[in-house]
């Protein structure tokens, strides 16, 4: 089956091909002989009730110096595509939400959107973990500095994170006696105007913040453990973490089994779970990464696995 595949992503000329998961997906789709169509978020628009985009037909090559070729721009209805990969990186703001509404118009006409637009809106990458309390460490979600301070006193060692962050951005590790605790709470909650997630600190972060990729509810059997740099508590690659591939543990398989059926039911076809020690800490649904690193370390082709899954779902 030859599918017309579109992708909504950040500027393709700015990606780092050796670690870009969207690029891995494009290489896989092209390998299957599928025509590719490139667009950025700003290219989408609605005329009456029909969604369109200013698209460019795309060819890709696994060449770090010259990795893409684009044809001239054409205005094409999104519904003319069989599949659209929504791979725009956060911020998850109102413009992102508006984009999901436009993608939904194509979905109504039979285009498969990866991931499902309504579920992108529903599944906040931090809060969604609380649907699986059996998998999580002690957690508080609040905008009240006093509640957050009490939780920190109770747990003694806590990670604070904004609900809209990515790549380890604005994450703090705090203790009750931290001299800067008041100012941290004021800033991260914006004086009680912004909701914050607080999680009990998991010391196994020194063994890595593990990214597990899920395809239609099934786990890739290896994780990428993002090992924090010296002096860091964040394992994110964007924060200087080092990626080391590992086979999934029994506990990690169990976590995947707890989460997988819900992901499948919600149309969240490609997802990244973050696991530290024995605990699920985030569920990444917008543009999860680590395909290329795992492919390289374990001789996999996760992009082809995903495209085969998409082909099955479209048949």
């Amino acid at each position: 089956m030859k599918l017309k595949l579109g992708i909504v992503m950040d500027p393709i000329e700015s990606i780092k091909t050796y670690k870009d998961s969207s690029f891995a997906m494009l290489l896989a789709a092209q390998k299957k002989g599928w025509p590719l169509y490139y667009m950025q978020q700003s290219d989408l628009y609605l005329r009456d009730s029909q969604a369109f985009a200013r698209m460019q037909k795309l060819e890709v090559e696994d060449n770090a110096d010259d990795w893409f070729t684009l044809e001239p721009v054409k205005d094409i209805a999104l519904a003319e595509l069989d599949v659209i990969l929504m791979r725009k990186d956060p911020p998850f703001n109102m413009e992102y939400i508006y984009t999901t509404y436009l993608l939904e118009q194509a979905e109504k006409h039979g285009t498969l959107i990866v991931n499902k637009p309504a579920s992108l809106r529903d599944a906040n990458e931090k809060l969604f973990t609380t649907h699986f309390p059996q998998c999580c460490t002690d957690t508080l979600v609040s905008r009240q500095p006093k509640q957050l301070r009490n939780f920190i006193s109770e747990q003694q060692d806590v990670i604070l994170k904004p609900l809209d962050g990515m790549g380890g951005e604005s994450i703090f590790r705090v203790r009750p006696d931290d001299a800067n605790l008041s100012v941290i709470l004021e800033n991260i909650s914006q004086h009680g105007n912004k909701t914050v997630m607080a999680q009990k600190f998991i010391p196994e972060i020194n063994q890595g913040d593990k990214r597990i990729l899920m395809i239609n509810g099934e786990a890739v059997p290896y994780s990428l453990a993002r090992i924090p740099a010296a002096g860091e508590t964040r394992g994110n690659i964007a924060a200087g973490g080092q990626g080391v591939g590992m086979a999934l543990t029994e506990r990690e398989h169990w976590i995947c089994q707890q989460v997988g059926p819900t992901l499948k039911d919600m149309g969240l076809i490609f997802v990244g779970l973050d696991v530290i020690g024995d605990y699920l800490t985030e569920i990444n649904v917008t543009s999860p990464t680590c395909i290329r690193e795992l492919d390289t370390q374990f001789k996999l082709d996760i992009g082809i696995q995903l495209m085969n899954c998409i082909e099955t779902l479209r048949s």
Side-chain angles (χ1 to χ4, degrees), residues 204-210 225-228 235 275-277:
E204 288 83 0
I205 183 62
N206 61 10
Q207 299 166 28
D209 180 353
K210 296 182 180 180
R226 284 83 51 89
I227 311 293
V275 174
I276 301 174

Side-chain angles (χ1 to χ4, degrees), residues 36 97 183 206:
L36 308 178
I97 290 173
V183 71
N206 61 10

Side-chain angles (χ1 to χ4, degrees), residues 98-244:
Y98 299 150
T99 298
T100 66
Y101 292 143
L102 299 188
L103 291 171
E104 253 175 349
Q105 293 296 328
E107 186 180 44
K108 289 176 183 177
H109 292 281
T111 302
L112 177 65
I113 314 297
V114 181
N115 288 316
K116 187 176 179 66
S119 294
L120 288 175
R121 296 193 297 269
D122 288 347
N124 174 271
E125 298 189 326
K126 312 293 192 295
L127 276 176
F128 192 29
T129 59
T130 64
H131 289 235
F132 311 97
Q134 71 274 28
C135 301
C136 299
T137 188
D138 297 271
T139 301
L140 171 71
V141 178
S142 175
R143 62 165 65 182
Q144 298 298 326
K146 184 177 180 181
Q147 283 184 335
L148 293 165
R149 186 184 291 275
N150 289 342
F151 182 79
I152 293 162
S153 294
E154 173 192 312
Q155 300 296 333
Q156 290 295 303
D157 199 350
V158 168
I159 294 292
L160 300 176
K161 59 176 85 169
L163 296 181
D164 58 356
M166 65 167 289
E169 187 178 88
S170 301
I171 289 178
F172 295 91
R173 179 183 177 185
V174 294
R175 296 182 176 88
D177 59 354
D178 193 318
N180 295 309
L181 181 57
S182 292
V183 71
I184 289 171
L185 290 174
E186 288 169 7
N187 277 277
I188 197 168
S189 73
Q190 295 182 5
H191 296 273
N193 291 304
K194 187 171 181 179
T195 305
V196 177
M197 174 172 276
Q199 292 175 320
K200 182 178 180 179
F201 176 70
I202 305 166
E204 288 83 0
I205 183 62
N206 61 10
Q207 299 166 28
D209 180 353
K210 296 182 180 180
R211 167 61 53 82
I212 302 170
L213 296 179
M214 304 283 286
I215 298 176
N216 203 28
E218 298 293 330
V220 174
Y222 301 95
S223 70
L224 191 75
R226 284 83 51 89
I227 311 293
E232 266 286 359
T233 57
R234 302 171 298 170
N236 311 73
I237 302 295
Q242 176 189 1
V244 178

Side-chain angles (χ1 to χ4, degrees), residues 232-304:
E232 266 286 359
T233 57
R234 302 171 298 170
N236 311 73
I237 302 295
Q242 176 189 1
V244 178
M246 299 181 179
L248 297 190
T249 66
E250 184 177 341
R251 170 72 176 184
E252 289 158 2
H253 277 294
W254 178 82
I255 290 172
C256 294
Q257 290 163 6
Q258 300 299 301
V259 178
T262 300
L263 300 180
K264 188 172 182 177
D265 288 346
M266 292 178 67
L268 292 167
I269 296 166
F270 187 72
V271 171
L273 307 185
D274 286 351
V275 174
I276 301 174
D278 287 337
Y279 301 105
L280 176 69
T281 59
E282 294 190 17
I283 302 176
N284 297 270
V285 302
T286 50
S287 56
T289 60
C290 298
I291 287 179
R292 301 221 81 185
E293 296 92 333
L294 288 170
D295 279 354
T296 298
Q297 293 190 38
F298 296 106
K299 308 302 180 191
L300 305 174
D301 196 334
I302 296 168
I304 285 290

